[in-house]
Amino acid sequence: MTSSPVSPASAADLQSAPDDLLATRAGEGDEEAFAILVRRHSRPLLALAFQTLGDPQDAEDAVQDAFISAWRRLPEFRHGSAFKTWMYRITVNRCLNSLRHRPSPVPLNSVAEPAAPGIRSSPARAAEQDALTDALIGALGALEPQQRICWVLRELHGLPYAQIAHVTGTTEQTVRGRLYRARRTLKEALGPWR
């Protein structure tokens, strides 16, 4: 990888440049443009990977692999979709590969304890909140991976159906079906908490 010489003025311009320009420059070998894209998109991609995989180290590995893959494939990137959508798709694929190759499911009781409740919170309320959180984590963990990814992208990342379809390589109808089944499963699992 070689870095294009960038003057201080153009470095500042790069910071505010749109993703498509940065992706084009990165595809031409501009490491600084790619570094800006990595900084811009790391947090939401890490959140997506963590919400999908449930393990911070696995999430970091998946996102790192996604960025490595993106760097290698940037010259092929044709801007048929937004860079962000393209990265979501690569990250989702890495997460699905990780889930397929896991030796066994993560035990639900291995989820870290939530932070201690605040002074104003009653012990009964804290215990109820902990139990609800455990129930939600368990219900999400029981979802089929494709349903979980669609649910996370829609409910936690706010992506529209068309973008979720593009990210998951399916149709909007398939996304709607997966979301319907995920929501129904979660509603049944969390019924006692209503």
Side-chain angles (χ1 to χ4, degrees):
M1 295 186 287
T2 59
S3 181
S4 303
V6 179
S7 67
S10 63
D13 292 341
L14 274 181
Q15 293 296 328
S16 60
D19 284 355
D20 59 339
L21 175 62
L22 292 171
T24 299
R25 291 201 47 179
E28 295 168 352
D30 187 337
E31 292 178 15
E32 180 61 27
F34 189 69
I36 292 168
L37 288 169
V38 169
R39 284 191 298 272
R40 251 183 220 175
H41 297 285
S42 288
R43 277 188 192 201
L45 294 175
L46 276 169
L48 167 66
F50 178 72
Q51 292 155 347
T52 302
L53 299 172
D55 178 82
Q57 186 60 50
D58 289 347
E60 287 181 22
D61 290 346
V63 172
Q64 183 177 9
D65 288 348
F67 277 120
I68 290 169
S69 177
W71 173 255
R72 290 180 181 145
R73 294 174 46 203
L74 265 170
E76 305 164 14
F77 181 54
R78 299 288 178 240
H79 303 280
S81 65
F83 178 81
K84 176 182 176 179
T85 304
W86 188 60
M87 284 305 305
Y88 268 93
R89 184 170 188 162
I90 294 171
T91 303
V92 162
N93 287 338
R94 292 298 177 274
C95 290
L96 289 173
N97 286 341
S98 180
L99 288 171
R100 276 187 215 107
H101 295 100
R102 271 196 180 157
S104 61
V106 176
L108 297 177
N109 61 359
S110 71
V111 175
E113 289 272 333
I119 295 171
R120 296 180 187 183
S121 179
S122 73
R125 177 73 181 131
E128 181 180 319
Q129 189 62 40
D130 289 349
L132 175 58
T133 300
D134 289 345
L136 177 60
I137 290 169
L140 284 172
L143 290 177
E144 169 194 316
Q146 292 285 355
Q147 290 176 8
R148 186 177 338 139
I149 286 171
C150 288
W151 189 87
V152 165
L153 289 171
R154 179 67 182 166
E155 302 301 332
L156 301 180
H157 290 263
L159 269 62
Y161 294 118
Q163 201 171 5
I164 296 170
H166 185 77
V167 166
T168 58
T170 60
T171 64
E172 283 187 57
Q173 184 175 359
T174 301
V175 168
R176 289 179 194 279
R178 287 177 180 165
L179 283 169
Y180 171 78
R181 288 188 297 281
R183 288 173 178 148
R184 187 182 64 205
T185 301
L186 292 174
K187 183 178 178 181
E188 288 172 9
L190 299 176
W193 297 99
R194 293 172 53 187

